[in-house]
């Protein structure tokens, strides 16, 4: 992690934090399959993470368990940081998902070693918590991580669904955590799955 024109502060901890801040700017270059709602281009990881972090402030009332929103926001903003090195793995890419855990673990080792040890440990712990989906906050964040691209598909005529051809069963399976943790929202999901099949965006 070397940056031209970076002048060291004389404080090693501060220098690590500043350079890490510059390093994670690379999230803006990690492109996802999801289109922006205006259909002008695909979104990037930074946009996605920001979007679900804001969503965390909005949907708490639909969660079946009490959620610490501040903690959930932390999970949202760090959950895709490792994709700076591991790349984005499309949810319905069965081949890519076989190696995802190994690639992302190696990426985490590389990325979180670049900041002070206490902060690296904390952020890695948040990332691992998000993936484990075994706390109310991680379940909530995982729901938002699925609702956001689903909404984008609904509002872009199922563009990424049509490009990559998952089935309704594939999509509804990925939405199971919403069914379990935010059932009222899942009722909306089901209506839109019906509409997606009706319009030919998803195969039944």
């Amino acid at each position: 992690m070397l940056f031209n024109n970076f002048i060291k502060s004389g404080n090693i901890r501060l220098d690590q934090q500043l350079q890490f801040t510059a390093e994670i700017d690379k999230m803006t270059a990690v492109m996802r399959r999801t289109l922006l709602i205006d259909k002008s281009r695909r979104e990037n990881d930074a946009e996605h993470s920001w979007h679900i972090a804001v969503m965390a402030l909005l949907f708490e009332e639909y969660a079946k368990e009490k959620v610490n929103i501040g903690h959930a926001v932390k999970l949202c903003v760090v959950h895709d940081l490792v994709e700076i090195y591991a790349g984005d793995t499309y949810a319905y890419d069965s081949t890519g998902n076989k190696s995802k855990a190994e690639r992302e673990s190696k990426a985490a080792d590389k990325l979180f070693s670049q900041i002070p040890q206490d902060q690296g440990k904390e952020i890695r712990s948040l990332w691992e918590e998000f993936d484990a989906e075994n706390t109310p906050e991680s379940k909530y964040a995982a729901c938002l991580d699925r609702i956001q691209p689903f909404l984008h598909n609904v509002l872009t005529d199922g563009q990424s669904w049509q490009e990559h051809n998952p089935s309704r069963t594939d999509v509804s399976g990925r939405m199971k955590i919403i069914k379990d943790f935010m059932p009222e929202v899942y009722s909306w999901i089901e209506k839109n799955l019906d509409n997606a099949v009706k319009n030919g965006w998803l195969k039944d």
Side-chain angles (χ1 to χ4, degrees):
M1 183 176 59
L2 298 173
F3 297 99
N4 293 332
N5 303 319
F6 179 78
I7 298 173
K8 292 185 177 181
S9 69
N11 178 331
I12 293 173
R13 182 180 178 88
L14 175 58
D15 288 343
Q16 288 180 322
Q17 292 163 332
L18 289 168
Q19 291 186 75
F20 182 79
T21 300
E23 186 72 359
I24 63 174
D25 180 70
K26 292 177 180 177
M27 280 192 81
T28 62
V30 180
M31 305 308 294
R32 293 167 47 84
R33 302 302 197 280
T34 307
L35 280 185
L36 296 181
I37 290 170
D38 69 4
K39 300 184 182 180
S40 61
R41 61 171 172 82
R42 290 160 56 196
E43 71 173 357
N44 64 52
D45 263 2
E47 292 166 328
H48 167 69
S49 297
W50 158 80
H51 213 166
I52 67 169
V54 176
M55 289 170 65
L57 307 178
L58 302 178
F59 295 95
E60 176 186 9
E61 64 200 87
Y62 304 106
K64 286 179 65 175
E65 300 177 52
K66 178 67 177 174
V67 174
N68 179 321
I69 296 302
H71 189 74
V73 168
K74 288 183 180 182
L75 296 176
C76 290
V77 296
V78 307
H79 82 288
D80 275 346
L81 283 174
V82 298
E83 294 186 1
I84 290 170
Y85 302 138
D88 176 62
T89 304
Y90 183 52
Y92 306 107
D93 177 0
S94 56
T95 301
N97 276 288
K98 290 177 182 177
S99 63
K100 179 182 177 182
E102 181 181 0
R103 285 185 287 108
E104 291 194 346
S105 180
K106 288 179 180 178
D109 291 342
K110 179 179 178 181
L111 184 64
F112 301 135
S113 67
Q114 296 177 32
I115 43 177
Q117 187 175 16
D118 59 317
Q119 292 182 323
K121 183 178 180 181
E122 177 189 6
I123 296 176
R124 182 169 191 145
S125 177
L126 290 167
W127 170 71
E128 290 174 347
E129 180 184 346
F130 178 93
D131 270 7
E133 297 180 7
N134 58 12
T135 63
E137 291 75 21
S138 61
K139 292 173 187 176
Y140 182 57
C143 288
L144 303 176
D145 187 45
R146 288 157 175 77
I147 293 167
Q148 188 258 359
F150 186 91
L151 178 62
H152 278 235
N153 261 303
V154 165
L155 298 178
T156 57
D157 304 317
Q159 188 72 38
S160 71
W161 290 334
Q162 293 193 67
E163 289 175 1
H164 301 283
N165 205 32
S167 67
R168 178 187 175 132
T169 301
D170 294 330
V171 177
S172 63
R174 182 159 172 77
M175 301 296 131
K176 184 180 183 304
I177 192 166
I178 303 170
K179 185 177 183 180
D180 294 340
F181 196 75
M182 302 176 74
E184 186 173 348
V185 178
Y186 189 77
S187 296
W188 171 82
I189 295 281
E190 280 199 311
K191 291 176 183 178
N192 282 279
L193 287 171
D194 290 342
N195 191 56
V197 171
K198 178 182 175 182
N199 287 324
W201 305 340
L202 282 175
K203 59 187 179 183
D204 198 359

